[in-house]
Amino acid sequence: MKKPNPLLEDLKPILPAIAANASRAEQLRQVPDENIALLKSIGLHRAFQPKAYGGLELSLPEFADCIALLAGSCASTAWAMSLLCTHSHQLALFSARLQEEIWGANPDATASSSIAPFGRVTEGEGGVYFSGEMGWSSGCDHGEWAIVGCRRQNAEGTQDYCFAVLPRSDYQIRDDWFAAGMKGSGTKTLVIDNAWVPEHRIQKAKDMMEGKSAGFGLYPDSQIFYAPYRPYFASGFSTVSLGVAERMLEVFREKTKTRVRAYTGAAVGAATPALMRLAESTHQVAAARAFLEKTWQEHAEHSAAQRYPTRQTLAFWRTNQAYATKMCIEAVDRLFAAAGGNAWFEHNEMQRLFRDSHMTGAHAYTDYDVCAQILGRELMGLEPDPSMV
């Protein structure tokens, strides 16, 4: 039996207002300020913030239940907000000095990201000068900081994949998010021109996956920070996909109950094809949720026991979420294909769910072609392919 989730109960009353803003979010091409204010009013942004700064240190299953429910009201809001939240888990693995800079000054601060290592760095004494046009930074209009990726030369002559953290004053936001899906997520480009990043704001990605980062062990009583950053960072993508699919089941059922065929007047809701499609998609979405819940629970148990996952466990965690996303998209497609021409009108919620569903599978972490290769190599005892992370 699931334990009570007070944050989930606090979320439910504000969902109608967020759902009412879904079309406006798409028009703005970013999450409306009102949505962020509502979510901050219940403390969702503090989900993975250290308790030392007023955070909740929520378990991953509790957090994921909130994001899935939120996604049913507005997937764009859920996508951006989930990242703003999960980045706090990543920041808690950085140095104590950086955390004090961020949350000591503003306990409500959040960070967006663009973690692909496209940044260009020039080494300086005690840090680096960072430049780059860093795309795909969801929710960046609402973050006070940004986590950005780069590669640094090391003493062995190779390069380390690293993350650098910059305050909002060190970058500009280019308003270039014109997309077919997740239109309201505000996934814009951060433009950085020779910003100075001191060493305490930089961490190697490998260290953050192996419990060797500067902040690892800072919170000995925590049940969430004895964990690699990536499973938490990536958790929102499949969770949003699940929430969209669960909402699609509801909307299809509601609209199909009263739908009649234009030329014959036949009731579509009583027709065998609609019943079969609804049944199969319902089973598929339920299977996706059960699979994700099992994975979320494994995350929580490992972290609470301060037990680091094995390489094979990490491979399953990395790929389970992509397979669940694949199932959710298939379930949505099955229903949308039978929803009729009216489903394509912009005012019809189903077309937005269809678009957003496909966007959940377009992220690098939910690319199942990549994930299937990662897991297949692990199952066959082969070394990981460094071109796939």
Side-chain angles (χ1 to χ4, degrees):
M1 178 180 286
K2 286 185 177 180
K3 67 178 183 179
N5 186 347
L7 190 59
L8 187 67
E9 296 308 310
D10 290 342
L11 176 64
K12 291 175 181 178
I14 67 173
L15 290 179
I18 290 173
N21 268 341
S23 294
R24 184 160 171 264
E26 293 207 322
Q27 292 165 4
L28 292 172
R29 294 176 294 105
Q30 68 182 58
V31 180
D33 292 343
E34 307 94 280
N35 287 12
I36 297 296
L38 283 168
L39 294 168
K40 283 193 169 185
S41 74
I42 65 167
L44 182 59
H45 64 302
R46 294 179 177 271
F48 294 139
Q49 184 184 26
K51 288 180 179 178
Y53 291 100
L56 303 176
E57 296 190 21
L58 217 61
S59 73
L60 187 55
E62 292 172 303
F63 174 73
D65 279 342
C66 292
I67 295 302
L69 189 62
L70 177 60
S73 295
C74 178
S76 288
T77 297
W79 185 275
M81 191 65 185
S82 71
L83 284 164
L84 293 174
C85 292
T86 57
H87 292 150
S88 292
H89 183 278
Q90 188 175 359
L91 291 172
L93 301 179
F94 274 78
S95 67
R97 182 178 173 186
L98 173 63
Q99 293 180 51
E100 183 61 25
E101 284 179 338
I102 294 173
W103 292 312
N106 179 7
D108 289 314
T110 58
S112 68
S113 76
S114 179
I115 64 169
F118 294 146
R120 304 182 304 278
V121 296
T122 302
E123 296 291 334
E125 187 174 347
V128 301
Y129 294 94
F130 193 109
S131 296
E133 297 185 359
M134 311 299 291
W136 303 93
S137 190
S138 300
C140 57
D141 291 287
H142 303 291
E144 291 80 13
W145 295 76
I147 306 169
V148 290
C150 64
R151 295 192 187 278
R152 294 180 78 183
Q153 200 78 12
N154 59 34
E156 290 74 41
T158 59
Q159 291 186 324
D160 293 320
Y161 176 21
C162 296
F163 302 124
V165 182
L166 283 72
R168 179 67 183 81
S169 57
D170 281 356
Y171 56 87
Q172 302 297 315
I173 296 175
R174 178 181 295 154
D175 187 4
D176 56 1
W177 183 242
F178 298 90
M182 297 292 171
K183 283 187 174 184
S185 63
T187 305
K188 302 173 184 178
T189 298
L190 310 181
V191 181
I192 306 165
D193 184 15
N194 208 38
W196 173 248
V197 187
E199 204 66 49
H200 72 274
R201 295 182 187 169
I202 304 171
Q203 285 293 313
K204 296 178 186 177
K206 189 172 186 290
D207 287 352
M208 301 190 87
M209 285 296 291
E210 297 179 352
K212 299 174 182 176
S213 64
F216 187 80
L218 276 178
Y219 306 107
D221 297 326
S222 174
Q223 294 196 341
I224 69 169
F225 295 130
Y226 283 86
Y229 85 92
R230 188 181 293 151
Y232 281 79
F233 162 76
S235 66
F237 309 134
S238 55
T239 305
V240 172
S241 196
L242 174 64
V244 168
E246 289 180 332
R247 177 58 183 162
M248 187 66 161
L249 293 173
E250 295 175 2
V251 177
F252 182 85
R253 190 166 57 247
E254 291 166 4
K255 293 186 179 297
T256 305
K257 278 181 181 178
T258 57
R259 184 181 161 211
V260 297
R261 298 203 177 278
Y263 290 96
T264 66
V268 177
T272 300
L275 299 175
M276 293 177 66
R277 285 174 181 265
L278 178 60
E280 186 172 2
S281 286
T282 297
H283 273 135
Q284 196 166 23
V285 175
R289 174 172 275 279
F291 192 35
L292 285 173
E293 286 182 342
K294 179 179 181 296
T295 304
W296 300 334
Q297 188 59 36
E298 287 179 1
H299 285 65
E301 289 171 357
H302 274 72
S303 191
Q306 299 186 4
R307 185 173 77 253
Y308 238 63
T310 65
R311 195 179 80 176
Q312 185 170 100
T313 297
L314 276 173
F316 273 108
W317 290 355
R318 167 72 179 87
T319 59
N320 288 358
Q321 49 86 33
Y323 190 71
T325 299
K326 181 174 181 284
M327 286 198 289
C328 289
I329 293 172
E330 288 174 357
V332 168
D333 284 355
R334 184 181 297 109
L335 299 180
F336 191 71
N342 281 330
W344 287 94
F345 280 106
E346 289 187 353
H347 66 264
N348 192 310
E349 185 180 354
M350 283 193 283
Q351 55 78 30
R352 175 166 51 82
L353 293 169
F354 172 78
R355 290 185 286 105
D356 288 345
S357 174
H358 277 269
M359 188 61 110
T360 66
H363 195 281
Y365 278 96
T366 52
D367 184 334
Y368 190 66
D369 284 347
V370 170
C371 286
Q373 294 176 73
I374 290 173
L375 184 58
R377 292 184 69 86
E378 180 61 33
L379 294 174
M380 291 300 290
L382 301 173
E383 286 299 308
D385 183 339
S387 70
M388 299 175 189
V389 295

